Amino acid sequence: MLTWSTHLLTEYFTAVNAAEDEETAIASAVERATEMVEAETGAVVREGRVLGAYGFGGTVPEAGLLAVAAGESLLDVPQVGELHAVANPLGGENADALIVCRDGEAFGAEERQMLQGMAQVLGLALRSIRVLAAERHLRAEKERQATTAQTRQRLVESLLTIQRAISARRPLPEILDAVTGGAAELLHGDATVALLLAEGGPDRRLSVASTCGRTEGGPVHEAAARAAMTGGSALISTDGVGTVIAAPVRVTGEMAGSLVAQLPGDADQYAEQRDHLDAFAQQVSLALTDARTVEAVREAHHDPVTGLPNRALFLKILNRVLASRGTETDPTSVLFIDLDRFKAVNDSLGHEAGDQLLALVARRLRSCVRASDTTARLGGDEFAALLHDSPVEAATVVGGRIVASIKEPFRVAGREVFIGASVGIATSREPVERSEALLDNADVAMYRAKKEGPGRVLVYEPYMHTEALDHLSLRGDLQRALREGEFRVQYQPLIRLADGAPTGVEALIRWHSPTRGFVSPVDFIPIAEEFGLIVDIGQWVLETSAAQVARWRRHFPDLGLNVNVSGHQLVHPRFADNVMRALAIAGLPSSAVTLELTESVLMSEPDLGKAALHVLRGLGVQLSIDDFGTGYSSLAYLRELPVDELKIDRAFIARAELTGEDLALVRTIVELAQILGLRTVAEGIENAAQLTALRRLGCAYGQGYHLYRPADPGDLPARLAARLVEDPVG
Ligand code: C2E
Ligand code: MG
Ligand code: MG
């Protein structure tokens, strides 16, 4: 069991570094180290001699301690017996070590690691003390020594600052930045220092956790980092450009990464710097080993739901890749992936199922790219992939593969769930590019792909950016449209399939913008919702269409009106009042009106929505579930709703002319509706085959281009009258 705390460690550093002579430094190090791991005895072996023996009484087992320094793990003490012993190298050339011995429990990985850090600090202190002692004797070297003394002072200060930050539980990035910053400052004016940490995945890729210095000068020396991790000790090498020093970082005894420094000139002048970097690496090890900070690393860089790197880590990796890219012959592509219809699943099946689905999506995404590529979850239902050495053609192929893979059904919460994905691609063209800019461009392309319909893959083009900006100006345009009367309503009849008689009309809003031309409600309704304009727009549609249908009813007395209602309207505190006021002014009975709500709207606000629906139902208004089948609402929930009508989504009707499974699905919905006492309306009937199939299945009502297209109010009465005679069904 560990009893050390960061406070004790801080004290240790202060005491050892404050010592003015070797004897004091050793005595204080041995005593504190022994106490911190609850050991009984300890000593230092230095240049073949036992020093600072602690806890042995009169008889120090010198030979045994020397054997421990040489690798023995048990120490026989007369009258006491065998103790577990661990020798912690002081660094430097000799087999010098800080030894502690304990009765009972052997030393664990964390204890060993901490002892190693303590031994390193002692080694550094001893070497500095010796240098200082020599200084008194060697006048000729006075100046160099003075610098060393200063360096030592700065090293001590720097390490102390870091140690304090660790014990004060400063945020991890701050501690790591203090390490790289402190190391760079101490090592050399032109030093670049980077901390590379292994990611959690099976391939344990290295990613940059902190850097200091001019990193754009070239690639971080990942090879050196790996070599230091493999070798388990600090390495120094010269590579034509300069010197690279790498010191390994351990977390709970395991290799976790490396601290790497790049310095100008040859390696031989940097022996001392290697020790210093090692001391900083020990600080990183201690910071990371602290259980809470280990947690913070993962939290800071990974998404807990999918285990994928998060946005911050993705951008870091992308930055590194872009910085190290040699030429334009190996372009990097970024894919921005957004799920289609994820919100519907999340709203209707719950967040737990939503999380489950995201984790499954993450797994599929990984299987669509190479092991060396990076996938990340940016947030919500947005993912990204970084493809190395991938020109735009290759990236487009991967994008297509992703769309196909996500289209396959997922098994979530005991049922099959269908979603989709839209993908935007941006490829690096300039030699150096900001990672954010590349990701933004991919995002813009994705936004554009989504607009073109689900399941698209689009490559970024500069003109798309202008379009994305457009999105913002839409808000102002929508406000103006409402004020200036740019909106219109078209009406599409609903038909009784048995005899082809129109029973009602659905009001569909239209917008001809003077600057944009025709804009589909599919595009502007979500934006009106986003900007809170839908309540006013929806009320305008209701008032306009209610007045219109009231007029038509003089010739078609039983004509009903279906109006689409957005979730934002439904939860508005005065929604029921607003509806009743519009009907009263128009003189339309509430029994003639059916409000259409989508499943996801009902599921996202189950309680609020339900209350308003009951009020309206009580006032005689009918309720319909629009686009039924796209939202996975539970049957149990449906039964609690005061619903009269189900409108089966177009997607199912498009398949209804087929046989087999698709037909069975529509049949199930129709039968289900019958059991619940609901009427069914098939949306989007586009041909005679679909119409025949639906009638055979017993679907009562229908709507679609094959029957009537949406029409302006001026044209509709004539059409209704004509079709009534013609009977499109018969
Ligand atoms: P919706 O309520 O499901 O409306 C049916 C949509 O399908 C309409 O598109 C209609 O023109 C189209 N449609 C009808 N028959 C066929 C067919 O045979 N084939 C195909 N492919 N499409 C057919 P529209 O008018 O573009 O409206 C799209 C959506 O915009 C509506 O879907 C509705 O969700 C929303 N919307 C329209 N008007 C309003 C409104 O006043 N308020 C609100 N909140 N939403 C509205
Ligand atoms: Mg509708
Ligand atoms: Mg619909």
PDB file of all heavy atoms in Angstrom, residues 22 40 63 82 153 168 209 214 268 276-277 330 391 415 420 427 514 582 588 600 656 659 661 668 678 722 728:
ATOM      1  N   GLU A  22      27.777  16.322   0.628  1.00  0.00           N
ATOM      2  CA  GLU A  22      27.280  15.022   0.186  1.00  0.00           C
ATOM      3  C   GLU A  22      26.693  14.222   1.345  1.00  0.00           C
ATOM      4  O   GLU A  22      25.653  13.586   1.212  1.00  0.00           O
ATOM      5  CB  GLU A  22      28.413  14.228  -0.475  1.00  0.00           C
ATOM      6  CG  GLU A  22      28.939  14.915  -1.728  1.00  0.00           C
ATOM      7  CD  GLU A  22      30.010  14.106  -2.438  1.00  0.00           C
ATOM      8  OE1 GLU A  22      30.282  12.959  -2.019  1.00  0.00           O
ATOM      9  OE2 GLU A  22      30.576  14.633  -3.413  1.00  0.00           O
ATOM     10  N   GLU A  40      12.319  -0.462   6.726  1.00  0.00           N
ATOM     11  CA  GLU A  40      13.012  -0.368   8.012  1.00  0.00           C
ATOM     12  C   GLU A  40      14.404   0.233   7.846  1.00  0.00           C
ATOM     13  O   GLU A  40      14.879   0.975   8.694  1.00  0.00           O
ATOM     14  CB  GLU A  40      13.155  -1.759   8.659  1.00  0.00           C
ATOM     15  CG  GLU A  40      11.844  -2.310   9.199  1.00  0.00           C
ATOM     16  CD  GLU A  40      10.966  -2.908   8.118  1.00  0.00           C
ATOM     17  OE1 GLU A  40      11.503  -3.286   7.053  1.00  0.00           O
ATOM     18  OE2 GLU A  40       9.727  -2.978   8.322  1.00  0.00           O
ATOM     19  N   ALA A  63      28.628  -6.045   2.893  1.00  0.00           N
ATOM     20  CA  ALA A  63      28.737  -6.948   1.737  1.00  0.00           C
ATOM     21  C   ALA A  63      27.363  -7.185   1.110  1.00  0.00           C
ATOM     22  O   ALA A  63      27.193  -7.150  -0.118  1.00  0.00           O
ATOM     23  CB  ALA A  63      29.352  -8.275   2.171  1.00  0.00           C
ATOM     24  N   GLU A  82      15.765 -12.095   6.537  1.00  0.00           N
ATOM     25  CA  GLU A  82      15.854 -11.621   5.156  1.00  0.00           C
ATOM     26  C   GLU A  82      14.880 -10.471   4.907  1.00  0.00           C
ATOM     27  O   GLU A  82      13.713 -10.559   5.269  1.00  0.00           O
ATOM     28  CB  GLU A  82      15.543 -12.774   4.190  1.00  0.00           C
ATOM     29  CG  GLU A  82      16.724 -13.682   3.982  1.00  0.00           C
ATOM     30  CD  GLU A  82      16.611 -14.484   2.691  1.00  0.00           C
ATOM     31  OE1 GLU A  82      15.466 -14.787   2.312  1.00  0.00           O
ATOM     32  OE2 GLU A  82      17.642 -14.781   2.085  1.00  0.00           O
ATOM     33  N   GLN A 153      21.041  25.699  -9.753  1.00  0.00           N
ATOM     34  CA  GLN A 153      20.063  26.463  -9.008  1.00  0.00           C
ATOM     35  C   GLN A 153      18.750  26.552  -9.790  1.00  0.00           C
ATOM     36  O   GLN A 153      17.669  26.351  -9.258  1.00  0.00           O
ATOM     37  CB  GLN A 153      20.624  27.874  -8.733  1.00  0.00           C
ATOM     38  CG  GLN A 153      19.793  28.686  -7.761  1.00  0.00           C
ATOM     39  CD  GLN A 153      19.605  27.940  -6.442  1.00  0.00           C
ATOM     40  OE1 GLN A 153      20.527  27.275  -5.966  1.00  0.00           O
ATOM     41  NE2 GLN A 153      18.406  28.011  -5.874  1.00  0.00           N
ATOM     42  N   ALA A 168      -0.135  20.607  -5.735  1.00  0.00           N
ATOM     43  CA  ALA A 168      -1.309  21.487  -5.654  1.00  0.00           C
ATOM     44  C   ALA A 168      -2.399  21.041  -6.623  1.00  0.00           C
ATOM     45  O   ALA A 168      -3.423  21.704  -6.759  1.00  0.00           O
ATOM     46  CB  ALA A 168      -0.908  22.924  -5.959  1.00  0.00           C
ATOM     47  N   ALA A 209       1.841  15.657 -26.160  1.00  0.00           N
ATOM     48  CA  ALA A 209       1.020  16.137 -25.052  1.00  0.00           C
ATOM     49  C   ALA A 209       1.391  17.565 -24.676  1.00  0.00           C
ATOM     50  O   ALA A 209       0.578  18.295 -24.143  1.00  0.00           O
ATOM     51  CB  ALA A 209       1.178  15.216 -23.846  1.00  0.00           C
ATOM     52  N   ARG A 214      10.527  26.156 -30.934  1.00  0.00           N
ATOM     53  CA  ARG A 214      10.085  26.346 -32.310  1.00  0.00           C
ATOM     54  C   ARG A 214       9.786  24.987 -32.938  1.00  0.00           C
ATOM     55  O   ARG A 214      10.636  24.388 -33.564  1.00  0.00           O
ATOM     56  CB  ARG A 214      11.159  27.082 -33.110  1.00  0.00           C
ATOM     57  CG  ARG A 214      11.421  28.493 -32.599  1.00  0.00           C
ATOM     58  CD  ARG A 214      12.560  29.160 -33.343  1.00  0.00           C
ATOM     59  NE  ARG A 214      13.820  28.454 -33.133  1.00  0.00           N
ATOM     60  CZ  ARG A 214      14.397  27.671 -34.043  1.00  0.00           C
ATOM     61  NH1 ARG A 214      13.852  27.499 -35.201  1.00  0.00           N
ATOM     62  NH2 ARG A 214      15.521  27.069 -33.770  1.00  0.00           N
ATOM     63  N   ASP A 268      28.507  15.549 -27.845  1.00  0.00           N
ATOM     64  CA  ASP A 268      29.469  15.414 -26.738  1.00  0.00           C
ATOM     65  C   ASP A 268      29.402  16.529 -25.703  1.00  0.00           C
ATOM     66  O   ASP A 268      29.782  16.351 -24.563  1.00  0.00           O
ATOM     67  CB  ASP A 268      30.918  15.224 -27.248  1.00  0.00           C
ATOM     68  CG  ASP A 268      31.139  15.872 -28.602  1.00  0.00           C
ATOM     69  OD1 ASP A 268      30.137  16.353 -29.159  1.00  0.00           O
ATOM     70  OD2 ASP A 268      32.280  15.913 -29.086  1.00  0.00           O
ATOM     71  N   HIS A 276      19.792  16.303 -16.952  1.00  0.00           N
ATOM     72  CA  HIS A 276      18.728  17.247 -16.609  1.00  0.00           C
ATOM     73  C   HIS A 276      17.401  16.835 -17.236  1.00  0.00           C
ATOM     74  O   HIS A 276      16.361  16.851 -16.584  1.00  0.00           O
ATOM     75  CB  HIS A 276      19.110  18.663 -17.065  1.00  0.00           C
ATOM     76  CG  HIS A 276      20.223  19.242 -16.265  1.00  0.00           C
ATOM     77  ND1 HIS A 276      20.913  20.357 -16.631  1.00  0.00           N
ATOM     78  CD2 HIS A 276      20.785  18.821 -15.098  1.00  0.00           C
ATOM     79  CE1 HIS A 276      21.832  20.632 -15.719  1.00  0.00           C
ATOM     80  NE2 HIS A 276      21.777  19.686 -14.784  1.00  0.00           N
ATOM     81  N   LEU A 277      17.473  16.437 -18.502  1.00  0.00           N
ATOM     82  CA  LEU A 277      16.230  16.035 -19.172  1.00  0.00           C
ATOM     83  C   LEU A 277      15.638  14.812 -18.480  1.00  0.00           C
ATOM     84  O   LEU A 277      14.428  14.695 -18.304  1.00  0.00           O
ATOM     85  CB  LEU A 277      16.492  15.734 -20.654  1.00  0.00           C
ATOM     86  CG  LEU A 277      15.216  15.631 -21.484  1.00  0.00           C
ATOM     87  CD1 LEU A 277      14.565  16.987 -21.641  1.00  0.00           C
ATOM     88  CD2 LEU A 277      15.506  15.025 -22.853  1.00  0.00           C
ATOM     89  N   ASP A 330       2.534  13.771 -50.616  1.00  0.00           N
ATOM     90  CA  ASP A 330       1.795  12.916 -49.682  1.00  0.00           C
ATOM     91  C   ASP A 330       0.732  13.728 -48.947  1.00  0.00           C
ATOM     92  O   ASP A 330       0.877  14.058 -47.781  1.00  0.00           O
ATOM     93  CB  ASP A 330       2.736  12.195 -48.693  1.00  0.00           C
ATOM     94  CG  ASP A 330       3.616  13.174 -47.938  1.00  0.00           C
ATOM     95  OD1 ASP A 330       3.661  14.354 -48.326  1.00  0.00           O
ATOM     96  OD2 ASP A 330       4.221  12.744 -46.942  1.00  0.00           O
ATOM     97  N   PRO A 391      -4.582  11.153 -51.301  1.00  0.00           N
ATOM     98  CA  PRO A 391      -5.120  12.189 -52.164  1.00  0.00           C
ATOM     99  C   PRO A 391      -6.637  12.132 -52.148  1.00  0.00           C
ATOM    100  O   PRO A 391      -7.229  11.187 -51.613  1.00  0.00           O
ATOM    101  CB  PRO A 391      -4.568  11.843 -53.540  1.00  0.00           C
ATOM    102  CG  PRO A 391      -4.219  10.404 -53.465  1.00  0.00           C
ATOM    103  CD  PRO A 391      -3.898  10.098 -52.033  1.00  0.00           C
ATOM    104  N   ARG A 415     -33.190  -3.899 -30.583  1.00  0.00           N
ATOM    105  CA  ARG A 415     -33.898  -3.752 -31.844  1.00  0.00           C
ATOM    106  C   ARG A 415     -32.959  -3.263 -32.948  1.00  0.00           C
ATOM    107  O   ARG A 415     -31.842  -2.822 -32.669  1.00  0.00           O
ATOM    108  CB  ARG A 415     -35.079  -2.801 -31.698  1.00  0.00           C
ATOM    109  CG  ARG A 415     -34.657  -1.372 -31.470  1.00  0.00           C
ATOM    110  CD  ARG A 415     -35.857  -0.488 -31.458  1.00  0.00           C
ATOM    111  NE  ARG A 415     -36.544  -0.549 -30.173  1.00  0.00           N
ATOM    112  CZ  ARG A 415     -37.732  -0.004 -29.953  1.00  0.00           C
ATOM    113  NH1 ARG A 415     -38.374   0.580 -30.925  1.00  0.00           N
ATOM    114  NH2 ARG A 415     -38.280  -0.042 -28.755  1.00  0.00           N
ATOM    115  N   GLY A 420     -27.715   6.831 -40.909  1.00  0.00           N
ATOM    116  CA  GLY A 420     -26.879   7.039 -42.079  1.00  0.00           C
ATOM    117  C   GLY A 420     -25.764   7.998 -41.728  1.00  0.00           C
ATOM    118  O   GLY A 420     -25.653   8.444 -40.588  1.00  0.00           O
ATOM    119  N   THR A 427      -8.698  18.131 -48.277  1.00  0.00           N
ATOM    120  CA  THR A 427      -7.349  17.591 -48.437  1.00  0.00           C
ATOM    121  C   THR A 427      -6.355  18.744 -48.381  1.00  0.00           C
ATOM    122  O   THR A 427      -6.598  19.809 -48.940  1.00  0.00           O
ATOM    123  CB  THR A 427      -7.249  16.857 -49.778  1.00  0.00           C
ATOM    124  OG1 THR A 427      -8.220  15.826 -49.780  1.00  0.00           O
ATOM    125  CG2 THR A 427      -5.881  16.238 -49.974  1.00  0.00           C
ATOM    126  N   PRO A 514     -36.774  36.828 -52.554  1.00  0.00           N
ATOM    127  CA  PRO A 514     -36.376  37.680 -53.687  1.00  0.00           C
ATOM    128  C   PRO A 514     -34.887  37.547 -53.999  1.00  0.00           C
ATOM    129  O   PRO A 514     -34.474  37.754 -55.136  1.00  0.00           O
ATOM    130  CB  PRO A 514     -36.714  39.096 -53.214  1.00  0.00           C
ATOM    131  CG  PRO A 514     -37.034  39.003 -51.769  1.00  0.00           C
ATOM    132  CD  PRO A 514     -37.334  37.584 -51.435  1.00  0.00           C
ATOM    133  N   ALA A 582     -56.662  30.911 -33.569  1.00  0.00           N
ATOM    134  CA  ALA A 582     -56.603  30.922 -35.036  1.00  0.00           C
ATOM    135  C   ALA A 582     -57.875  30.314 -35.623  1.00  0.00           C
ATOM    136  O   ALA A 582     -58.450  30.834 -36.592  1.00  0.00           O
ATOM    137  CB  ALA A 582     -55.370  30.141 -35.510  1.00  0.00           C
ATOM    138  N   LEU A 588     -63.275  28.002 -38.319  1.00  0.00           N
ATOM    139  CA  LEU A 588     -63.122  26.582 -38.679  1.00  0.00           C
ATOM    140  C   LEU A 588     -63.316  25.738 -37.421  1.00  0.00           C
ATOM    141  O   LEU A 588     -62.672  25.999 -36.401  1.00  0.00           O
ATOM    142  CB  LEU A 588     -61.706  26.368 -39.256  1.00  0.00           C
ATOM    143  CG  LEU A 588     -61.399  25.008 -39.861  1.00  0.00           C
ATOM    144  CD1 LEU A 588     -62.224  24.781 -41.136  1.00  0.00           C
ATOM    145  CD2 LEU A 588     -59.904  24.891 -40.174  1.00  0.00           C
ATOM    146  N   SER A 600     -39.987  12.182 -33.428  1.00  0.00           N
ATOM    147  CA  SER A 600     -38.855  12.644 -32.620  1.00  0.00           C
ATOM    148  C   SER A 600     -39.268  13.844 -31.780  1.00  0.00           C
ATOM    149  O   SER A 600     -38.783  14.012 -30.668  1.00  0.00           O
ATOM    150  CB  SER A 600     -37.648  12.953 -33.496  1.00  0.00           C
ATOM    151  OG  SER A 600     -38.022  13.787 -34.542  1.00  0.00           O
ATOM    152  N   ALA A 656     -42.907  -0.178 -50.974  1.00  0.00           N
ATOM    153  CA  ALA A 656     -44.115  -0.995 -50.824  1.00  0.00           C
ATOM    154  C   ALA A 656     -44.501  -1.729 -52.093  1.00  0.00           C
ATOM    155  O   ALA A 656     -45.262  -2.697 -52.049  1.00  0.00           O
ATOM    156  CB  ALA A 656     -45.280  -0.136 -50.361  1.00  0.00           C
ATOM    157  N   THR A 659     -41.879  -6.782 -52.894  1.00  0.00           N
ATOM    158  CA  THR A 659     -42.526  -7.825 -52.103  1.00  0.00           C
ATOM    159  C   THR A 659     -41.658  -8.136 -50.904  1.00  0.00           C
ATOM    160  O   THR A 659     -40.663  -7.477 -50.663  1.00  0.00           O
ATOM    161  CB  THR A 659     -42.718  -9.086 -52.958  1.00  0.00           C
ATOM    162  OG1 THR A 659     -41.493  -9.330 -53.628  1.00  0.00           O
ATOM    163  CG2 THR A 659     -43.862  -8.906 -53.920  1.00  0.00           C
ATOM    164  N   GLU A 661     -39.991  -8.515 -47.320  1.00  0.00           N
ATOM    165  CA  GLU A 661     -39.836  -7.832 -46.045  1.00  0.00           C
ATOM    166  C   GLU A 661     -40.444  -6.429 -45.994  1.00  0.00           C
ATOM    167  O   GLU A 661     -41.061  -6.051 -45.010  1.00  0.00           O
ATOM    168  CB  GLU A 661     -38.350  -7.695 -45.726  1.00  0.00           C
ATOM    169  CG  GLU A 661     -37.871  -8.671 -44.677  1.00  0.00           C
ATOM    170  CD  GLU A 661     -36.370  -8.541 -44.514  1.00  0.00           C
ATOM    171  OE1 GLU A 661     -35.919  -7.448 -44.138  1.00  0.00           O
ATOM    172  OE2 GLU A 661     -35.669  -9.527 -44.795  1.00  0.00           O
ATOM    173  N   THR A 668     -47.377  -4.538 -41.106  1.00  0.00           N
ATOM    174  CA  THR A 668     -47.306  -4.502 -39.641  1.00  0.00           C
ATOM    175  C   THR A 668     -47.768  -3.140 -39.113  1.00  0.00           C
ATOM    176  O   THR A 668     -48.519  -3.070 -38.147  1.00  0.00           O
ATOM    177  CB  THR A 668     -45.853  -4.752 -39.167  1.00  0.00           C
ATOM    178  OG1 THR A 668     -45.378  -5.895 -39.845  1.00  0.00           O
ATOM    179  CG2 THR A 668     -45.797  -4.974 -37.679  1.00  0.00           C
ATOM    180  N   LEU A 678     -56.217   3.667 -34.877  1.00  0.00           N
ATOM    181  CA  LEU A 678     -55.745   4.857 -35.582  1.00  0.00           C
ATOM    182  C   LEU A 678     -55.977   4.695 -37.078  1.00  0.00           C
ATOM    183  O   LEU A 678     -55.903   3.595 -37.605  1.00  0.00           O
ATOM    184  CB  LEU A 678     -54.239   5.041 -35.360  1.00  0.00           C
ATOM    185  CG  LEU A 678     -53.759   5.021 -33.913  1.00  0.00           C
ATOM    186  CD1 LEU A 678     -52.238   5.126 -33.877  1.00  0.00           C
ATOM    187  CD2 LEU A 678     -54.375   6.165 -33.143  1.00  0.00           C
ATOM    188  N   ALA A 722     -62.455  18.299 -60.444  1.00  0.00           N
ATOM    189  CA  ALA A 722     -62.180  17.449 -61.598  1.00  0.00           C
ATOM    190  C   ALA A 722     -61.853  16.024 -61.166  1.00  0.00           C
ATOM    191  O   ALA A 722     -62.415  15.051 -61.659  1.00  0.00           O
ATOM    192  CB  ALA A 722     -61.018  18.032 -62.395  1.00  0.00           C
ATOM    193  N   PRO A 728     -59.121   9.065 -59.367  1.00  0.00           N
ATOM    194  CA  PRO A 728     -57.777   8.611 -59.724  1.00  0.00           C
ATOM    195  C   PRO A 728     -57.532   7.157 -59.326  1.00  0.00           C
ATOM    196  O   PRO A 728     -56.627   6.516 -59.852  1.00  0.00           O
ATOM    197  CB  PRO A 728     -56.862   9.544 -58.924  1.00  0.00           C
ATOM    198  CG  PRO A 728     -57.697  10.047 -57.798  1.00  0.00           C
ATOM    199  CD  PRO A 728     -59.099  10.093 -58.316  1.00  0.00           C
TER     200      PRO A 728
END
